[in-house]
Amino acid sequence: KEFSDVKISWKQDVISALATIEDNPEKNLLFIFSNEFFDAFPINQYIKHEGKWHEICVIKKEEEEGYDFGFTHFDYTSAIKKHLEIMDIEEDSVKNGEIVEVSNDVIEIYTESLRKLKKNKGCIMTIDYGFTKTEFNSTLQSLKNHQKNEVLTNIGEADITYLVNFEFLFYISQNEGLSVLPPITQKMFLESIGILEKQILLEKEPDEAKRYALERSTERLISELQMGELFKVLICEHYK
């Protein structure tokens, strides 16, 4: 179906886009969807060292060219405790040398989206690289020309990303008082809405080349060795 009669407007950022929506729970039905969106935002990493939390930073190597990771001496323990409390994690349970990743941009955008949803009706669906249980290590990674790249090399020429903490998004949703389903893998989500049944229909495609391409695409989406396990899905809704 073509949407020639639908007015589309472009905004500079998500926060300003949400602000243009006039709250009306009787009329508005919102669908806020993102795919590989949150993994594009910058993060701050904090490492536990001798019982205190310090921010990891990039430093210039002294005896050779290039950069390396170090950490500041400023104590972020109080802020990290509050962050962990959102997920009911005791700070004392985290060991020295373990890392917590925080994206303030993601927190702001996702929280504002939840609050806008709460004033109206609809759902938020988030699909991204990520994990469903908090991992206390660095997930920072870099890709250049679809190949793995050392994070601090080819600066400006490679993509830098990280894995989204879906457990944290889940708890934010709960704390805002909205109905949220526990995050699941993309494989589980697509199978729940009938991708395997669709695949059976695709087998009847007479064009062999087209049928092969469709089969490969389906496999890529749900294979545990490809996108099926790496991508996670979180759905939050509000219809009351």
Side-chain angles (χ1 to χ4, degrees):
K1 179 181 178 180
E2 294 185 2
F3 296 93
S4 58
D5 58 335
V6 176
K7 182 180 178 181
I8 298 175
S9 61
W10 298 96
K11 305 298 178 184
Q12 287 294 105
D13 58 81
V14 176
I15 302 299
S16 63
L18 292 171
T20 62
I21 302 174
E22 185 176 345
D23 298 325
N24 189 332
E26 299 303 319
K27 292 184 178 181
N28 289 348
L29 187 62
L30 307 182
F31 178 50
I32 303 174
F33 173 77
S34 68
N35 182 47
E36 290 191 67
F37 178 63
F38 287 136
D39 71 318
F41 285 92
I43 60 169
N44 296 83
Q45 291 186 325
Y46 302 90
I47 187 168
K48 191 172 187 179
H49 177 71
E50 296 182 352
K52 296 182 179 181
W53 289 91
H54 305 277
E55 184 176 12
I56 296 175
C57 58
V58 177
I59 58 175
K60 190 173 178 61
K61 292 182 178 179
E62 295 182 359
E63 299 180 357
E64 57 182 296
E65 291 188 3
Y67 300 90
D68 204 347
F69 290 108
F71 60 84
T72 65
H73 292 288
F74 191 82
D75 186 2
Y76 287 89
T77 301
S78 179
I80 296 302
K81 278 186 177 181
K82 292 180 180 178
H83 181 81
L84 294 174
E85 285 173 0
I86 293 175
M87 298 179 286
D88 291 330
I89 296 175
E90 292 288 338
E91 190 276 332
D92 291 340
S93 68
V94 186
K95 302 174 183 177
N96 284 323
E98 293 189 321
I99 294 171
V100 167
E101 296 178 330
V102 180
S103 174
N104 292 318
D105 291 313
V106 169
I107 293 172
E108 179 186 17
I109 291 172
Y110 190 69
T111 301
E112 287 301 313
S113 299
L114 292 171
R115 291 174 180 173
K116 176 58 68 172
L117 181 66
K118 196 173 181 179
K119 294 177 182 178
N120 297 276
K121 292 180 180 178
C123 75
I124 297 174
M125 177 183 290
T126 304
I127 304 176
D128 222 316
Y129 297 95
F131 48 87
T132 58
K133 187 70 176 175
T134 300
E135 300 176 5
F136 295 103
N137 53 50
S138 174
T139 69
L140 201 63
Q141 53 192 284
S142 175
L143 295 173
K144 183 181 179 182
N145 299 326
H146 305 290
Q147 300 295 322
K148 288 185 177 181
N149 175 71
E150 291 294 329
V151 175
L152 297 181
T153 61
N154 299 306
I155 296 175
E157 300 177 356
D159 293 329
I160 298 177
T161 184
Y162 74 105
L163 299 182
V164 177
N165 187 342
F166 276 81
E167 182 182 25
F168 185 69
L169 298 182
F170 172 79
Y171 276 102
I172 292 178
S173 304
Q174 277 197 333
N175 290 345
E176 288 295 326
L178 296 173
S179 174
V180 57
L181 300 173
I184 58 175
T185 64
Q186 179 171 280
K187 172 183 170 66
M188 293 174 64
F189 171 71
L190 292 176
E191 287 182 348
S192 73
I193 61 173
I195 192 171
L196 295 180
E197 288 76 8
K198 181 70 173 178
Q199 190 175 27
I200 294 174
L201 295 177
L202 294 176
E203 292 174 357
K204 300 178 181 179
E205 169 60 49
D207 187 319
E208 185 175 348
K210 186 176 181 180
R211 184 173 68 251
Y212 177 75
L214 291 171
E215 289 173 351
R216 289 292 300 273
S217 297
T218 302
E219 177 67 15
R220 183 167 182 267
L221 288 171
I222 63 175
S223 171
E224 295 180 358
L225 300 177
Q226 299 188 60
M227 297 171 67
E229 288 293 325
L230 182 59
F231 278 72
K232 306 301 186 298
V233 181
L234 183 67
I235 300 174
C236 179
E237 59 184 23
H238 180 65
Y239 292 106
K240 295 181 179 180

